[in-house]
Amino acid sequence: MSRPLVICHMMSSIDGRLLVDRWTLHADGSGLSGISRMYESCGQQLAADAFIIGRRSMSEFDQVQIGDASVGPAKARRPYRDSEAHGRWAVVLDPGGRLRYAGPRVEGEPVLAVLSTQVTDVYLAELRRHGVSYAFAGKDGRDLDAALTVLHEVFDVDRLLLEGGGVTNGRFFAAGLVDEMSLLIYPGLDGRAGSPAIIEAEVAPGLPVFPGMKLQSMSTQVLAAGYVWLRYQVVVPAHATESISHGDQPASLAEP
């Protein structure tokens, strides 16, 4: 395989919703700290070299701020690996170069930004100055297959945890780039209409969402405190993957 094994690792409420602060209270009163510990414990067992998240999720770290897009004409680009970067990569999809970093790491892990080839030379120089490594995903920053190949060949990523928001996860699934699904179910409910789900695909009207996809059970574990951990192999026939509609290219760079 010329790309990493991709495992989508997520936690949801029983009704499949994403936002932790909307869930009903845990029966043992453990709160957010207990949720985080359980999620991280399961994630560590998956033994990944990197995790990948979207721009919004990365901007929630204390060392990161979100600003204006830093784009111009597309250019030929090469990936950059900082010589001091060691450990599990914290990969972020940031097509327009909107994130600003106070240093090279978040939560002690080296940052690797996946960008479009339209980001400016000034922005790339800023990343290098802060010790942030980077790779590219095509002109609009959405060529996920190409980005995964670079992560594997240049940054030595063999196993990648996909931990994005619902839209980020949906793009990977729709592109046929997810090999396994790891879902930790929290013993509580959300119940709000319109609350984000853990996977949300962008598809043109009338098209199937994930054509030909099948999930084959790998394991089911009932964990402490009422959590359930489900793992599946994702099977997608090569002829079944469909391109998904992203709208106009500028939106991919300017999205919130």
Side-chain angles (χ1 to χ4, degrees):
M1 185 182 295
S2 61
R3 63 171 179 83
L5 179 82
V6 177
I7 305 171
C8 183
H9 179 54
M10 297 297 294
M11 181 187 287
S12 79
S13 58
I14 290 175
D15 50 343
R17 303 309 175 90
L18 178 65
L19 301 181
V20 175
D21 59 355
R22 297 187 179 187
W23 298 348
T24 55
L25 297 177
H26 194 284
D28 66 7
S30 57
L32 294 178
S33 61
I35 294 173
S36 179
R37 284 194 301 270
M38 182 64 75
Y39 178 76
E40 293 299 331
S41 174
C42 292
Q44 289 172 5
Q45 296 179 51
L46 298 174
D49 308 298
F51 67 87
I52 187 166
I53 57 179
R55 178 168 53 209
R56 286 184 180 178
S57 297
M58 181 63 83
S59 69
E60 294 175 0
F61 287 99
D62 292 338
Q63 306 94 322
V64 185
Q65 294 184 343
I66 193 165
D68 295 330
S70 304
V71 295
K75 295 183 178 181
R77 299 292 192 186
R78 290 186 176 184
Y80 169 75
R81 180 170 182 166
D82 187 81
S83 61
E84 299 298 319
H86 304 289
R88 189 177 75 147
W89 293 102
V91 186
V92 58
L93 297 171
D94 184 20
R98 293 185 59 184
L99 295 179
R100 306 294 187 270
Y101 304 91
R105 294 176 176 266
V106 293
E107 301 293 312
E109 298 174 325
V111 176
L112 170 52
V114 176
L115 312 164
S116 79
T117 58
Q118 296 184 64
V119 293
T120 64
D121 293 337
V122 171
Y123 182 71
L124 295 180
E126 177 184 333
L127 294 184
R128 293 193 298 270
R129 187 167 61 253
H130 288 289
V132 174
S133 302
Y134 52 78
F136 298 94
K139 184 178 179 180
D140 65 356
R142 294 202 178 191
D143 189 343
L144 300 176
D145 203 356
L148 290 179
T149 298
V150 173
L151 292 185
H152 179 63
E153 296 180 351
V154 178
F155 298 93
D156 303 317
V157 177
D158 294 321
R159 291 171 68 86
L160 175 68
L161 293 189
L162 171 60
E163 300 181 303
V167 173
T168 296
N169 293 339
R171 290 172 184 163
F172 275 82
F173 271 97
L177 296 174
V178 180
D179 303 291
E180 296 180 16
M181 180 75 208
S182 166
L183 176 59
L184 192 62
I185 298 179
Y186 170 80
L189 299 172
D190 180 322
R192 291 167 176 78
S195 186
I198 60 171
I199 299 170
E200 298 185 354
E202 301 167 310
V203 296
L207 288 180
V209 180
F210 304 128
M213 180 178 294
K214 298 178 181 179
L215 302 183
Q216 297 180 347
S217 177
M218 297 171 62
S219 64
T220 300
Q221 298 181 54
V222 178
L223 305 179
Y227 289 86
V228 178
W229 190 13
L230 307 173
R231 293 186 63 187
Y232 298 91
Q233 181 181 9
V234 180
V235 181
V236 183
H239 65 275
T241 55
E242 297 275 351
S243 297
I244 58 176
S245 174
H246 298 301
D248 296 332
Q249 179 178 297
S252 70
L253 301 177
E255 63 186 351

mmCIF file of all heavy atoms in Angstrom, residues 70-107:
data_model
loop_
_atom_site.group_PDB
_atom_site.id
_atom_site.type_symbol
_atom_site.label_atom_id
_atom_site.label_comp_id
_atom_site.label_asym_id
_atom_site.label_seq_id
_atom_site.Cartn_x
_atom_site.Cartn_y
_atom_site.Cartn_z
ATOM 1 N N SER A 70 -4.132 32.419 3.450
ATOM 2 C CA SER A 70 -2.857 32.903 2.916
ATOM 3 C C SER A 70 -2.630 32.237 1.569
ATOM 4 O O SER A 70 -1.866 31.282 1.434
ATOM 5 C CB SER A 70 -1.712 32.547 3.874
ATOM 6 O OG SER A 70 -1.964 33.051 5.166
ATOM 7 N N VAL A 71 -3.335 32.719 0.541
ATOM 8 C CA VAL A 71 -3.294 32.056 -0.765
ATOM 9 C C VAL A 71 -2.980 33.037 -1.882
ATOM 10 O O VAL A 71 -3.207 34.239 -1.783
ATOM 11 C CB VAL A 71 -4.625 31.346 -1.069
ATOM 12 C CG1 VAL A 71 -4.868 30.217 -0.083
ATOM 13 C CG2 VAL A 71 -5.790 32.323 -1.040
ATOM 14 N N GLY A 72 -2.431 32.484 -2.959
ATOM 15 C CA GLY A 72 -2.122 33.223 -4.173
ATOM 16 C C GLY A 72 -2.180 32.247 -5.336
ATOM 17 O O GLY A 72 -2.856 31.221 -5.263
ATOM 18 N N PRO A 73 -1.446 32.516 -6.409
ATOM 19 C CA PRO A 73 -1.411 31.570 -7.533
ATOM 20 C C PRO A 73 -0.786 30.247 -7.112
ATOM 21 O O PRO A 73 0.144 30.205 -6.308
ATOM 22 C CB PRO A 73 -0.533 32.285 -8.563
ATOM 23 C CG PRO A 73 -0.562 33.732 -8.174
ATOM 24 C CD PRO A 73 -0.680 33.738 -6.678
ATOM 25 N N ALA A 74 -1.303 29.150 -7.664
ATOM 26 C CA ALA A 74 -0.744 27.841 -7.369
ATOM 27 C C ALA A 74 0.670 27.713 -7.922
ATOM 28 O O ALA A 74 0.984 28.252 -8.990
ATOM 29 C CB ALA A 74 -1.633 26.743 -7.958
ATOM 30 N N LYS A 75 1.529 27.029 -7.189
ATOM 31 C CA LYS A 75 2.916 26.808 -7.603
ATOM 32 C C LYS A 75 3.294 25.353 -7.378
ATOM 33 O O LYS A 75 2.637 24.640 -6.626
ATOM 34 C CB LYS A 75 3.871 27.692 -6.782
ATOM 35 C CG LYS A 75 3.724 29.177 -6.987
ATOM 36 C CD LYS A 75 4.793 29.903 -6.173
ATOM 37 C CE LYS A 75 4.719 31.414 -6.374
ATOM 38 N NZ LYS A 75 5.783 32.117 -5.604
ATOM 39 N N ALA A 76 4.365 24.935 -8.027
ATOM 40 C CA ALA A 76 4.929 23.631 -7.716
ATOM 41 C C ALA A 76 5.506 23.687 -6.307
ATOM 42 O O ALA A 76 6.225 24.623 -5.953
ATOM 43 C CB ALA A 76 6.008 23.262 -8.730
ATOM 44 N N ARG A 77 5.179 22.700 -5.488
ATOM 45 C CA ARG A 77 5.582 22.724 -4.085
ATOM 46 C C ARG A 77 6.203 21.396 -3.691
ATOM 47 O O ARG A 77 5.882 20.349 -4.240
ATOM 48 C CB ARG A 77 4.371 22.980 -3.182
ATOM 49 C CG ARG A 77 3.667 24.309 -3.415
ATOM 50 C CD ARG A 77 4.531 25.471 -2.998
ATOM 51 N NE ARG A 77 3.790 26.732 -2.939
ATOM 52 C CZ ARG A 77 4.373 27.906 -2.716
ATOM 53 N NH1 ARG A 77 5.694 27.980 -2.535
ATOM 54 N NH2 ARG A 77 3.642 28.998 -2.658
ATOM 55 N N ARG A 78 7.068 21.453 -2.689
ATOM 56 C CA ARG A 78 7.646 20.252 -2.106
ATOM 57 C C ARG A 78 7.317 20.192 -0.620
ATOM 58 O O ARG A 78 7.264 21.219 0.045
ATOM 59 C CB ARG A 78 9.169 20.244 -2.282
ATOM 60 C CG ARG A 78 9.634 20.040 -3.718
ATOM 61 C CD ARG A 78 11.139 19.901 -3.749
ATOM 62 N NE ARG A 78 11.625 19.615 -5.096
ATOM 63 C CZ ARG A 78 12.900 19.380 -5.390
ATOM 64 N NH1 ARG A 78 13.825 19.422 -4.418
ATOM 65 N NH2 ARG A 78 13.259 19.105 -6.621
ATOM 66 N N PRO A 79 7.117 18.986 -0.089
ATOM 67 C CA PRO A 79 6.866 18.878 1.350
ATOM 68 C C PRO A 79 8.098 19.264 2.148
ATOM 69 O O PRO A 79 9.229 19.207 1.645
ATOM 70 C CB PRO A 79 6.528 17.395 1.538
ATOM 71 C CG PRO A 79 7.165 16.708 0.374
ATOM 72 C CD PRO A 79 7.112 17.680 -0.763
ATOM 73 N N TYR A 80 7.876 19.662 3.382
ATOM 74 C CA TYR A 80 8.956 20.066 4.284
ATOM 75 C C TYR A 80 8.821 19.309 5.593
ATOM 76 O O TYR A 80 7.758 19.319 6.220
ATOM 77 C CB TYR A 80 8.902 21.575 4.547
ATOM 78 C CG TYR A 80 9.808 22.040 5.662
ATOM 79 C CD1 TYR A 80 11.178 22.142 5.477
ATOM 80 C CD2 TYR A 80 9.282 22.375 6.921
ATOM 81 C CE1 TYR A 80 12.023 22.569 6.505
ATOM 82 C CE2 TYR A 80 10.104 22.798 7.948
ATOM 83 C CZ TYR A 80 11.476 22.895 7.736
ATOM 84 O OH TYR A 80 12.304 23.317 8.752
ATOM 85 N N ARG A 81 9.901 18.652 6.009
ATOM 86 C CA ARG A 81 9.927 17.934 7.276
ATOM 87 C C ARG A 81 10.957 18.583 8.183
ATOM 88 O O ARG A 81 12.162 18.561 7.897
ATOM 89 C CB ARG A 81 10.269 16.461 7.052
ATOM 90 C CG ARG A 81 10.316 15.642 8.331
ATOM 91 C CD ARG A 81 10.423 14.166 8.042
ATOM 92 N NE ARG A 81 10.429 13.386 9.281
ATOM 93 C CZ ARG A 81 10.252 12.060 9.346
ATOM 94 N NH1 ARG A 81 10.061 11.382 8.217
ATOM 95 N NH2 ARG A 81 10.265 11.443 10.501
ATOM 96 N N ASP A 82 10.483 19.171 9.277
ATOM 97 C CA ASP A 82 11.397 19.838 10.193
ATOM 98 C C ASP A 82 12.339 18.820 10.835
ATOM 99 O O ASP A 82 11.915 17.724 11.239
ATOM 100 C CB ASP A 82 10.600 20.568 11.286
ATOM 101 C CG ASP A 82 11.491 21.421 12.163
ATOM 102 O OD1 ASP A 82 11.835 22.534 11.752
ATOM 103 O OD2 ASP A 82 11.841 20.948 13.264
ATOM 104 N N SER A 83 13.592 19.179 10.936
ATOM 105 C CA SER A 83 14.609 18.239 11.425
ATOM 106 C C SER A 83 14.433 17.894 12.896
ATOM 107 O O SER A 83 14.948 16.871 13.366
ATOM 108 C CB SER A 83 16.011 18.820 11.202
ATOM 109 O OG SER A 83 16.161 20.042 11.909
ATOM 110 N N GLU A 84 13.695 18.725 13.655
ATOM 111 C CA GLU A 84 13.497 18.479 15.081
ATOM 112 C C GLU A 84 12.182 17.750 15.383
ATOM 113 O O GLU A 84 11.869 17.513 16.549
ATOM 114 C CB GLU A 84 13.510 19.809 15.846
ATOM 115 C CG GLU A 84 14.813 20.580 15.725
ATOM 116 C CD GLU A 84 15.992 19.803 16.296
ATOM 117 O OE1 GLU A 84 15.818 19.167 17.366
ATOM 118 O OE2 GLU A 84 17.066 19.798 15.665
ATOM 119 N N ALA A 85 11.436 17.402 14.340
ATOM 120 C CA ALA A 85 10.132 16.769 14.542
ATOM 121 C C ALA A 85 10.295 15.282 14.812
ATOM 122 O O ALA A 85 10.787 14.534 13.966
ATOM 123 C CB ALA A 85 9.253 16.983 13.318
ATOM 124 N N HIS A 86 9.877 14.866 16.011
ATOM 125 C CA HIS A 86 9.948 13.455 16.391
ATOM 126 C C HIS A 86 8.685 13.090 17.161
ATOM 127 O O HIS A 86 8.142 13.897 17.901
ATOM 128 C CB HIS A 86 11.169 13.187 17.264
ATOM 129 C CG HIS A 86 12.477 13.599 16.650
ATOM 130 N ND1 HIS A 86 13.048 12.934 15.593
ATOM 131 C CD2 HIS A 86 13.303 14.636 16.936
ATOM 132 C CE1 HIS A 86 14.185 13.521 15.265
ATOM 133 N NE2 HIS A 86 14.360 14.576 16.057
ATOM 134 N N GLY A 87 8.226 11.855 16.996
ATOM 135 C CA GLY A 87 7.041 11.401 17.705
ATOM 136 C C GLY A 87 5.844 11.272 16.790
ATOM 137 O O GLY A 87 5.954 11.363 15.563
ATOM 138 N N ARG A 88 4.683 11.064 17.385
ATOM 139 C CA ARG A 88 3.454 10.900 16.623
ATOM 140 C C ARG A 88 3.029 12.235 16.026
ATOM 141 O O ARG A 88 2.952 13.246 16.720
ATOM 142 C CB ARG A 88 2.345 10.354 17.533
ATOM 143 C CG ARG A 88 1.089 9.958 16.783
ATOM 144 C CD ARG A 88 0.053 9.348 17.694
ATOM 145 N NE ARG A 88 -0.613 10.355 18.505
ATOM 146 C CZ ARG A 88 -1.890 10.273 18.890
ATOM 147 N NH1 ARG A 88 -2.621 9.236 18.539
ATOM 148 N NH2 ARG A 88 -2.428 11.206 19.653
ATOM 149 N N TRP A 89 2.743 12.251 14.719
ATOM 150 C CA TRP A 89 2.387 13.495 14.041
ATOM 151 C C TRP A 89 0.965 13.940 14.388
ATOM 152 O O TRP A 89 0.045 13.124 14.447
ATOM 153 C CB TRP A 89 2.463 13.322 12.525
ATOM 154 C CG TRP A 89 3.830 13.100 11.976
ATOM 155 C CD1 TRP A 89 4.377 11.914 11.573
ATOM 156 C CD2 TRP A 89 4.834 14.101 11.746
ATOM 157 N NE1 TRP A 89 5.659 12.112 11.115
ATOM 158 C CE2 TRP A 89 5.962 13.439 11.206
ATOM 159 C CE3 TRP A 89 4.883 15.471 11.946
ATOM 160 C CZ2 TRP A 89 7.124 14.119 10.862
ATOM 161 C CZ3 TRP A 89 6.044 16.152 11.602
ATOM 162 C CH2 TRP A 89 7.136 15.477 11.075
ATOM 163 N N ALA A 90 0.791 15.249 14.556
ATOM 164 C CA ALA A 90 -0.522 15.871 14.661
ATOM 165 C C ALA A 90 -0.803 16.532 13.316
ATOM 166 O O ALA A 90 -0.338 17.647 13.042
ATOM 167 C CB ALA A 90 -0.553 16.905 15.784
ATOM 168 N N VAL A 91 -1.521 15.841 12.447
ATOM 169 C CA VAL A 91 -1.745 16.298 11.075
ATOM 170 C C VAL A 91 -3.039 17.102 11.013
ATOM 171 O O VAL A 91 -4.055 16.711 11.591
ATOM 172 C CB VAL A 91 -1.818 15.106 10.105
ATOM 173 C CG1 VAL A 91 -1.910 15.589 8.655
ATOM 174 C CG2 VAL A 91 -0.609 14.187 10.278
ATOM 175 N N VAL A 92 -3.006 18.223 10.294
ATOM 176 C CA VAL A 92 -4.199 19.054 10.156
ATOM 177 C C VAL A 92 -4.431 19.405 8.690
ATOM 178 O O VAL A 92 -3.509 19.733 7.958
ATOM 179 C CB VAL A 92 -4.074 20.355 10.994
ATOM 180 C CG1 VAL A 92 -2.848 21.165 10.598
ATOM 181 C CG2 VAL A 92 -5.336 21.203 10.859
ATOM 182 N N LEU A 93 -5.681 19.312 8.265
ATOM 183 C CA LEU A 93 -6.080 19.735 6.923
ATOM 184 C C LEU A 93 -6.402 21.224 6.962
ATOM 185 O O LEU A 93 -7.382 21.642 7.568
ATOM 186 C CB LEU A 93 -7.300 18.940 6.465
ATOM 187 C CG LEU A 93 -7.103 17.432 6.313
ATOM 188 C CD1 LEU A 93 -8.440 16.742 6.065
ATOM 189 C CD2 LEU A 93 -6.133 17.126 5.184
ATOM 190 N N ASP A 94 -5.567 22.012 6.335
ATOM 191 C CA ASP A 94 -5.718 23.474 6.344
ATOM 192 C C ASP A 94 -5.438 24.003 4.944
ATOM 193 O O ASP A 94 -4.396 24.608 4.686
ATOM 194 C CB ASP A 94 -4.745 24.085 7.367
ATOM 195 C CG ASP A 94 -4.905 25.598 7.500
ATOM 196 O OD1 ASP A 94 -5.964 26.119 7.112
ATOM 197 O OD2 ASP A 94 -3.960 26.247 7.987
ATOM 198 N N PRO A 95 -6.356 23.786 3.979
ATOM 199 C CA PRO A 95 -6.084 24.108 2.578
ATOM 200 C C PRO A 95 -5.625 25.540 2.334
ATOM 201 O O PRO A 95 -4.701 25.780 1.558
ATOM 202 C CB PRO A 95 -7.435 23.847 1.893
ATOM 203 C CG PRO A 95 -8.140 22.892 2.783
ATOM 204 C CD PRO A 95 -7.701 23.222 4.170
ATOM 205 N N GLY A 96 -6.254 26.491 3.013
ATOM 206 C CA GLY A 96 -5.964 27.900 2.756
ATOM 207 C C GLY A 96 -4.887 28.505 3.617
ATOM 208 O O GLY A 96 -4.641 29.711 3.536
ATOM 209 N N GLY A 97 -4.233 27.722 4.453
ATOM 210 C CA GLY A 97 -3.187 28.265 5.305
ATOM 211 C C GLY A 97 -3.710 29.313 6.276
ATOM 212 O O GLY A 97 -3.131 30.390 6.423
ATOM 213 N N ARG A 98 -4.770 28.994 6.993
ATOM 214 C CA ARG A 98 -5.372 29.958 7.911
ATOM 215 C C ARG A 98 -4.869 29.835 9.348
ATOM 216 O O ARG A 98 -5.076 30.741 10.144
ATOM 217 C CB ARG A 98 -6.893 29.809 7.893
ATOM 218 C CG ARG A 98 -7.542 30.214 6.577
ATOM 219 C CD ARG A 98 -9.038 30.159 6.661
ATOM 220 N NE ARG A 98 -9.557 31.028 7.706
ATOM 221 C CZ ARG A 98 -10.848 31.103 8.044
ATOM 222 N NH1 ARG A 98 -11.727 30.340 7.423
ATOM 223 N NH2 ARG A 98 -11.247 31.922 8.993
ATOM 224 N N LEU A 99 -4.244 28.722 9.676
ATOM 225 C CA LEU A 99 -3.827 28.518 11.060
ATOM 226 C C LEU A 99 -2.473 29.156 11.339
ATOM 227 O O LEU A 99 -1.562 29.127 10.504
ATOM 228 C CB LEU A 99 -3.769 27.025 11.374
ATOM 229 C CG LEU A 99 -5.118 26.294 11.334
ATOM 230 C CD1 LEU A 99 -4.929 24.821 11.635
ATOM 231 C CD2 LEU A 99 -6.115 26.920 12.303
ATOM 232 N N ARG A 100 -2.342 29.733 12.536
ATOM 233 C CA ARG A 100 -1.091 30.333 12.994
ATOM 234 C C ARG A 100 -0.654 29.605 14.263
ATOM 235 O O ARG A 100 -1.459 29.353 15.157
ATOM 236 C CB ARG A 100 -1.283 31.829 13.300
ATOM 237 C CG ARG A 100 -1.881 32.635 12.145
ATOM 238 C CD ARG A 100 -0.949 32.712 10.944
ATOM 239 N NE ARG A 100 -1.439 33.596 9.919
ATOM 240 C CZ ARG A 100 -2.223 33.252 8.900
ATOM 241 N NH1 ARG A 100 -2.638 31.985 8.813
ATOM 242 N NH2 ARG A 100 -2.604 34.125 7.994
ATOM 243 N N TYR A 101 0.632 29.274 14.332
ATOM 244 C CA TYR A 101 1.146 28.424 15.405
ATOM 245 C C TYR A 101 2.132 29.187 16.274
ATOM 246 O O TYR A 101 2.979 29.930 15.775
ATOM 247 C CB TYR A 101 1.837 27.194 14.816
ATOM 248 C CG TYR A 101 0.938 26.404 13.889
ATOM 249 C CD1 TYR A 101 0.907 26.675 12.514
ATOM 250 C CD2 TYR A 101 0.107 25.400 14.384
ATOM 251 C CE1 TYR A 101 0.079 25.957 11.667
ATOM 252 C CE2 TYR A 101 -0.724 24.677 13.539
ATOM 253 C CZ TYR A 101 -0.732 24.964 12.177
ATOM 254 O OH TYR A 101 -1.559 24.262 11.335
ATOM 255 N N ALA A 102 2.036 28.948 17.581
ATOM 256 C CA ALA A 102 2.976 29.556 18.515
ATOM 257 C C ALA A 102 4.262 28.749 18.606
ATOM 258 O O ALA A 102 5.278 29.243 19.087
ATOM 259 C CB ALA A 102 2.343 29.676 19.898
ATOM 260 N N GLY A 103 4.230 27.512 18.144
ATOM 261 C CA GLY A 103 5.397 26.646 18.195
ATOM 262 C C GLY A 103 5.170 25.424 17.349
ATOM 263 O O GLY A 103 4.137 25.284 16.678
ATOM 264 N N PRO A 104 6.091 24.481 17.379
ATOM 265 C CA PRO A 104 6.035 23.338 16.472
ATOM 266 C C PRO A 104 5.134 22.206 16.929
ATOM 267 O O PRO A 104 4.925 21.251 16.166
ATOM 268 C CB PRO A 104 7.492 22.872 16.429
ATOM 269 C CG PRO A 104 8.029 23.231 17.772
ATOM 270 C CD PRO A 104 7.360 24.517 18.144
ATOM 271 N N ARG A 105 4.595 22.256 18.164
ATOM 272 C CA ARG A 105 3.867 21.122 18.705
ATOM 273 C C ARG A 105 2.520 21.530 19.314
ATOM 274 O O ARG A 105 2.363 22.664 19.766
ATOM 275 C CB ARG A 105 4.710 20.413 19.781
ATOM 276 C CG ARG A 105 5.967 19.766 19.219
ATOM 277 C CD ARG A 105 6.849 19.152 20.307
ATOM 278 N NE ARG A 105 7.986 18.454 19.717
ATOM 279 C CZ ARG A 105 8.025 17.152 19.441
ATOM 280 N NH1 ARG A 105 6.977 16.400 19.739
ATOM 281 N NH2 ARG A 105 9.076 16.591 18.886
ATOM 282 N N VAL A 106 1.594 20.581 19.313
ATOM 283 C CA VAL A 106 0.353 20.702 20.080
ATOM 284 C C VAL A 106 0.252 19.469 20.960
ATOM 285 O O VAL A 106 0.498 18.341 20.501
ATOM 286 C CB VAL A 106 -0.895 20.825 19.177
ATOM 287 C CG1 VAL A 106 -0.884 22.142 18.412
ATOM 288 C CG2 VAL A 106 -1.016 19.646 18.222
ATOM 289 N N GLU A 107 -0.035 19.672 22.236
ATOM 290 C CA GLU A 107 -0.103 18.573 23.193
ATOM 291 C C GLU A 107 1.153 17.700 23.124
ATOM 292 O O GLU A 107 1.089 16.474 23.270
ATOM 293 C CB GLU A 107 -1.348 17.721 22.939
ATOM 294 C CG GLU A 107 -2.658 18.475 23.044
ATOM 295 C CD GLU A 107 -2.942 18.949 24.465
ATOM 296 O OE1 GLU A 107 -2.812 18.145 25.387
ATOM 297 O OE2 GLU A 107 -3.302 20.132 24.633
#
